[in-house]
Amino acid sequence: MTYRHLRKTALVASSILGLGLAAGAAPATATQQAQLLDPVSYTVTIASPATHLVQVEALIRTEGRGSVELVMPVWSPGFYRVEDYAAHVEGLAARSPDGTELAVERLRPNRWIVHAGSRSIVAVSYAVVCEQRSVTTNWVGDSLAVLNGAAMFVTLVEPTQRPHDVRLVLPAGWTAMTALDSVPDQRPFHYRAPDYDVLVDSPILAGVLSVHQFDVDGRTHYLVDAGDHHEWDGARAAQDLARIVAAHRRMWGFLPYERYYFLNVFRSGGGGLEHANSTLLTTNATRVATPAGYRSWLEFVSHEYFHAFNVKRLRPVELGPFDYEQPPRTTSLWMAEGFTSYYGDLALPRAGIGDIDAYLISLSAAIRQLQGQPGRHVQTVEQSSREVWNNSFSGINPDSMTVSYYVKGQIIGFLLDARVRHATDGSKSLDDVMRLAYSRYSGPRGFTPEQFRETAAEVAGTDLSEWFRRAIASTEELDYSEALDWFGLRFTADEDAVTQWTLEVRPAASEAQLRNLSDWLRGEGNPGLE
């Protein structure tokens, strides 16, 4: 049995809930069913941060079962790499409410059975070693804790949704921020997720935090800085993020959440991970101290934020519902990640941050990176996506036999945008493709590769099958000519490897080309560039 959280409308058996439905009553939805189930309730205690240990106790109702099976994930959504989270769990034990120790059997590295007998509640306790610094693992130090659901919480093996509560017990002077909803019981740091998926999708940042709040379109956003950020101007960063969020909102026409958290951890390393209502970021203080480094950081955060729309809500059909023991395979990460990179960078000029040259420098760097990857002649971008679990580090650092779906996908986004604009004489763009795809396939549906290609062709008003075949299903070189002609751009004649493939505006660009360039970089309703 897997413990995929099925999103279906069905009755919950009265033998499990001890409840029934009145004659003629409508079947309960999955969300209503979950609300009727008792939550798994965790208490997470950080008593001695210097030890890097967290103590977890989970109270679980057996609901009449003589034993309960527990499991811990082996991967985190958005990070395409198998990880051994259970290896950092120590001393898992169980007891009844009266303190009687219960037998625990370990079935495999990430599964346990608790033999409850006739007990209605079992208390499962364990420690987690928190000394890893990635955005999918846990860290606890003197003034900071980064807690990720997949790497922190065991859960029940069951084919249904169930609420999960988390209460934090923190050192004096610490606070916490997370996208999880607070439980309205006046207890500090007490949160509830409607199901395990939301728990995994809501990292928790605790410690000595600096918070900057801003509103866009009536939605509250928080930039939460933690770690060594003494040289950091958080107020300025929050202002720039507000402009970027507003640019994305203008492109989509809405914001899909009530509040959003940028959980920004200053520490060694790098990387970020998207979540539906937050993102967890690792920021290098030295790198963001320069103007170029700060702009790169804004592009990076813009990428993770765009995922709130693309992947977390509009997603390839394979990326949900999740089975946390069986990593999914999809051929569509070139769109899920690559288009997110495209729009992440494009949001800056659309927000009026930097000039045309600054954006073209970023886009040129991506083109140069792609053209410097020998693997582009060996592997298609669809293959790169499907084989990500064993051919790269979650799509990063491809070797000579692979191509990055991040990088090539970003360039495909640029070229497809130009293709749609050209085919419709500028009346439509990739923005329209994304919005139409969202209206059709967001939420629990997801899209197939064919459905996304058909949506793009519908907006463009022309057959794109051969275009997509060349771009995503072959190792043929990408053709830049249409995009360069439409936007009035060219590559410089410099053949130096460092500066080759550098985009610039043509000195003799026509008024129509300059108008196309402005429309692209400004976006609909954006103040953008003058």
Side-chain angles (χ1 to χ4, degrees):
M1 178 190 296
T2 65
Y3 63 111
R4 185 182 325 206
H5 292 90
L6 303 176
R7 300 182 181 278
K8 297 180 180 178
T9 298
L11 294 176
V12 178
S14 59
S15 61
I16 295 177
L17 292 176
L19 297 172
L21 290 172
T29 66
T31 300
Q32 290 169 336
Q33 295 166 18
Q35 292 172 346
L36 294 174
L37 296 172
D38 288 309
V40 176
S41 297
Y42 307 94
T43 299
V44 178
T45 302
I46 303 175
S48 302
T51 66
H52 304 297
L53 286 177
V54 167
Q55 301 295 326
V56 181
E57 181 175 83
L59 295 180
I60 300 169
R61 290 192 178 273
T62 64
E63 296 171 342
R65 291 168 286 187
S67 63
V68 292
E69 189 168 352
L70 306 176
V71 68
M72 177 166 268
V74 302
W75 71 286
S76 292
F79 189 70
Y80 303 101
R81 182 178 175 86
V82 174
E83 300 189 280
D84 189 4
Y85 301 134
H88 302 279
V89 171
E90 296 183 346
L92 189 144
R95 69 181 189 282
S96 64
D98 63 5
T100 302
E101 188 172 342
L102 303 177
V104 177
E105 181 182 356
R106 193 162 194 169
L107 300 178
R108 61 178 90 153
N110 70 316
R111 282 206 183 205
W112 301 261
I113 281 186
V114 176
H115 297 281
S118 60
R119 281 84 172 185
S120 61
I121 298 176
V122 296
V124 176
S125 60
Y126 56 95
V128 181
V129 180
C130 303
E131 52 185 6
Q132 294 180 289
R133 290 184 170 88
S134 83
V135 290
T136 60
T137 57
N138 303 308
W139 167 265
V140 172
D142 289 339
S143 61
L144 172 66
V146 180
L147 309 180
N148 278 290
M152 177 62 59
F153 301 114
V154 300
T155 191
L156 283 166
V157 176
E158 58 178 355
T160 187
Q161 296 181 14
R162 177 185 297 273
H164 288 66
D165 286 6
V166 177
R167 186 172 70 90
L168 305 177
V169 180
L170 301 176
W174 281 32
T175 189
M177 297 292 281
T178 177
L180 290 170
D181 290 331
S182 295
V183 177
D185 62 356
Q186 307 303 314
R187 301 173 76 182
F189 314 126
H190 191 195
Y191 310 102
R192 172 164 293 180
D195 54 44
Y196 190 73
D197 286 331
V198 173
L199 181 64
V200 167
D201 195 42
S202 306
I204 300 169
L205 190 58
V208 180
L209 309 178
S210 175
V211 180
H212 296 274
Q213 180 177 326
F214 60 90
D215 290 343
V216 176
D217 195 31
R219 308 300 203 271
T220 303
H221 302 73
Y222 303 90
L223 172 60
V224 185
D225 296 321
D228 185 7
H229 54 86
H230 301 296
E231 304 290 325
W232 174 249
D233 189 344
R236 175 200 175 191
Q239 291 175 351
D240 286 338
L241 289 180
R243 296 165 70 183
I244 289 170
V245 169
H248 285 303
R249 187 259 177 243
R250 286 189 291 266
M251 176 260 172
W252 287 104
F254 62 94
L255 295 179
Y257 50 78
E258 291 301 320
R259 61 185 189 278
Y260 189 91
Y261 297 79
F262 298 91
L263 304 177
N264 187 33
V265 184
F266 287 81
R267 54 183 174 177
S268 61
L273 189 64
E274 70 273 9
H275 300 280
N277 300 320
S278 65
T279 180
L280 179 58
L281 310 162
T282 294
T283 297
N284 186 300
T286 302
R287 292 175 188 168
V288 298
T290 66
Y294 178 67
R295 180 185 176 85
S296 179
W297 181 84
L298 289 175
E299 291 172 339
F300 154 59
V301 180
S302 181
H303 169 108
E304 300 300 340
Y305 173 76
F306 192 79
H307 273 313
F309 302 87
N310 191 34
V311 172
K312 297 312 298 185
R313 291 174 172 89
L314 171 64
R315 61 174 175 81
V317 69
E318 300 89 352
L319 299 185
F322 297 122
D323 181 334
Y324 295 100
E325 292 183 296
Q326 300 296 327
R329 293 184 181 272
T330 177
T331 60
S332 299
L333 292 178
W334 59 270
M335 179 274 190
E337 291 292 350
F339 282 23
T340 299
S341 291
Y342 174 62
Y343 277 106
D345 289 2
L346 187 58
L348 270 67
R350 289 183 170 185
I353 298 175
D355 57 16
I356 292 175
D357 289 340
Y359 175 67
L360 292 182
I361 287 172
S362 293
L363 184 56
S364 300
I367 295 173
R368 191 177 305 117
Q369 185 177 352
L370 172 64
Q371 296 301 139
Q373 290 179 349
R376 77 187 191 281
H377 296 303
V378 180
Q379 185 186 54
T380 72
V381 75
E382 285 185 318
Q383 291 171 331
S384 174
S385 174
R386 184 175 58 247
E387 298 165 11
V388 62
W389 295 97
N390 48 21
N391 75 1
S392 66
F393 187 81
S394 191
I396 305 298
N397 299 326
D399 58 27
S400 61
M401 301 297 288
T402 60
V403 66
S404 169
Y405 55 73
Y406 281 94
V407 178
K408 189 170 183 179
Q410 178 178 357
I411 307 310
I412 290 172
F414 164 57
L415 299 181
L416 180 58
D417 201 352
R419 175 87 275 269
V420 174
R421 290 171 188 268
H422 188 196
T424 62
D425 196 25
S427 65
K428 299 291 183 181
S429 71
L430 186 58
D431 298 2
D432 296 285
V433 175
M434 299 300 289
R435 288 191 290 259
L436 182 58
Y438 193 102
S439 70
R440 290 176 173 172
Y441 305 118
S442 63
R445 286 164 290 185
F447 60 84
T448 66
E450 294 76 15
Q451 287 171 330
F452 185 80
R453 293 195 296 266
E454 290 168 358
T455 301
E458 180 181 338
V459 172
T462 188
D463 184 1
L464 295 177
S465 55
E466 177 60 16
W467 191 97
F468 275 112
R469 184 201 67 77
R470 290 172 58 92
I472 68 173
S474 84
T475 57
E476 300 173 40
E477 291 282 22
L478 296 178
D479 184 357
Y480 297 94
S481 58
E482 181 177 41
L484 299 183
D485 288 342
W486 181 257
F487 295 122
L489 301 174
R490 71 179 185 182
F491 290 118
T492 62
D494 196 337
E495 296 184 358
D496 185 283
V498 177
T499 55
Q500 196 177 18
W501 300 101
T502 298
L503 291 166
E504 62 181 9
V505 180
R506 296 177 183 178
S510 68
E511 289 186 8
Q513 288 172 323
L514 293 176
R515 184 170 57 252
N516 295 341
L517 180 66
S518 177
D519 289 345
W520 171 45
L521 296 181
R522 287 171 62 101
E524 297 177 19
N526 280 290
L529 302 172
E530 298 299 331

